[in-house]
Amino acid sequence: MLRCFALTLAVLPFSGFAQDTASGALALTAQPAAAPVHRMAGSSPGSPNPKISGATHLRPLGFVPDLLFDGERDPLGATALNRNETTVQNYRVAEGTKAYQLTIGQGVYWSWGGEIPWPRTLVKGETVHFQGSFYFPSATFDWTSNGEGAHLKFLRFRTESASGANEGYQDIYIDNAWASGPARDGHLKHIFEGSAAWTDSGVNLAKDRWETIEFQVTFDDVPVDAGGQGRVRLWRYNGNQMQLILDITDRKTLVSPTSVAVLMYVFSYWNGGSPQNNVMQADRLVLQFDQSRLVETDAQGNKIIGGVGAAGALFRDGFE
């Protein structure tokens, strides 16, 4: 499989950026995340008519995550994501003063968003938990995907055999009106390519607001309902809390007991090619492998990354 991202991730804890003398690639060495500072974000130079347009729902995390990427903690702007199409901007921000801007050109198929390698592979019985905040502007983003199933790849955990062969992704997809009608525009759904079974969340993402999503997978070739640990959960921020919208307990999450999970993609490639020049924003991307350090729970008592729900940072919006 083609991988065009030049990021290697060193062992925690974080000491900054280094350059691989052999490849020239930037290597990110992760650092403990400082508590976010909530303050008004400045406008970017030349941004049109910046103005206060609302408040986000993010607040400081209650723990130090294993991995955290945003405009402040990733100052080169593209190490966690594709360095060719991702920049840092400060006119649409969910937390702090900077956030990522992701772009993809019209007709482009591969290479947007990016790959986040993990410090180590995960094996049967282990869990990965992701949280990210995303802004899809209606003026500059169309998530229509009209090829290969007509849905947009969104959040992806790669699984492999013990020998490194691709065994499929744990995928969250975004559906669209072109494929499925207006009622399902922005609809979130899950599939594990290793078992080829879809599950609908019943929930649509909205444009023109910050959407915060959490995605958790416990890896096992035996699902919870059959006495194993294989489980998938998905949360979306709604009603001042992280709301559980998927809890899949009847499907395996690895192909075999020796399979592993190795990395994450945020997007990756666009089925059918991007319908236009698309621009969106992302902020506070968190990956947690040690679930014991999570300190918040949802309404059902499940541990979550959290850090949402209180009065958040105001942000400036230079697009509208």
Side-chain angles (χ1 to χ4, degrees):
M1 174 181 176
L2 174 64
R3 296 186 187 174
C4 65
F5 307 91
L7 169 67
T8 55
L9 187 61
V11 177
L12 305 178
F14 195 169
S15 59
F17 296 93
Q19 191 163 33
D20 186 314
T21 55
S23 67
L26 287 172
L28 176 62
T29 52
Q31 68 181 357
V37 177
H38 289 290
R39 55 185 180 271
M40 188 180 300
S43 62
S44 63
S47 63
N49 302 318
K51 64 181 185 294
I52 301 299
S53 62
T56 73
H57 47 261
L58 297 187
R59 56 179 172 78
L61 296 172
F63 69 104
V64 177
D66 289 330
L67 295 177
L68 188 154
F69 304 98
D70 63 12
E72 273 82 25
R73 297 167 189 84
D74 187 9
L76 298 185
T79 52
L81 303 172
N82 183 344
R83 70 189 191 285
N84 297 315
E85 285 88 17
T86 301
T87 58
V88 166
Q89 50 79 36
N90 62 357
Y91 49 90
R92 181 171 285 146
V93 177
E95 178 189 66
T97 61
K98 299 175 184 177
Y100 294 112
Q101 180 156 291
L102 284 64
T103 63
I104 181 172
Q106 183 175 6
V108 174
Y109 175 76
W110 170 255
S111 181
W112 86 292
E115 172 186 328
I116 306 178
W118 298 346
R120 61 179 180 83
T121 59
L122 300 187
V123 300
K124 176 183 171 85
E126 294 190 292
T127 299
V128 62
H129 197 136
F130 169 81
Q131 183 195 87
S133 292
F134 304 91
Y135 195 104
F136 302 94
S138 58
T140 62
F141 197 85
D142 178 359
W143 48 41
T144 298
S145 176
N146 59 13
E148 299 168 72
H151 33 228
L152 181 62
K153 293 174 169 65
F154 181 25
L155 305 175
R156 319 190 69 202
F157 299 146
R158 178 181 170 94
T159 69
E160 297 180 349
S161 68
S163 63
N166 180 15
E167 290 189 335
Y169 288 80
Q170 290 284 346
D171 273 330
I172 301 298
Y173 280 78
I174 301 175
D175 214 339
N176 62 85
W178 181 90
S180 305
R184 289 178 62 90
D185 198 43
H187 191 79
L188 294 174
K189 54 188 181 181
H190 169 268
I191 188 172
F192 174 39
E193 295 173 333
S195 59
W198 289 96
T199 306
D200 279 335
S201 71
V203 170
N204 290 3
L205 293 176
K207 292 183 178 178
D208 300 319
R209 77 177 202 186
W210 282 101
E211 290 274 11
T212 298
I213 301 295
E214 295 196 25
F215 179 31
Q216 180 195 68
V217 176
T218 299
F219 295 101
D220 199 336
D221 62 312
V222 182
V224 165
D225 289 359
Q229 299 180 70
R231 189 171 201 156
V232 175
R233 292 187 178 108
L234 185 70
W235 294 262
R236 176 195 181 216
Y237 178 78
N238 184 46
N240 209 38
Q241 63 180 327
M242 294 306 301
Q243 182 180 61
L244 185 66
I245 60 173
L246 277 179
D247 189 1
I248 305 170
T249 59
D250 61 349
R251 293 181 194 150
K252 64 183 181 181
T253 54
L254 290 175
V255 169
S256 78
T258 60
S259 301
V260 295
V262 296
L263 58 80
M264 179 181 188
Y265 283 118
V266 179
F267 302 107
S268 62
Y269 61 90
W270 198 298
N271 291 348
S274 176
Q276 64 178 36
N277 294 328
N278 271 313
V279 180
M280 60 162 293
Q281 291 75 41
D283 205 354
R284 201 173 80 178
L285 309 179
V286 178
L287 275 164
Q288 186 62 25
F289 306 100
D290 181 357
Q291 307 302 299
S292 69
R293 289 165 53 197
L294 299 178
V295 297
E296 296 187 43
T297 57
D298 66 7
Q300 291 77 35
N302 303 305
K303 284 192 171 185
I304 57 172
I305 289 171
V308 299
L314 293 177
F315 64 92
R316 290 189 184 274
D317 186 339
F319 279 114
E320 299 170 1

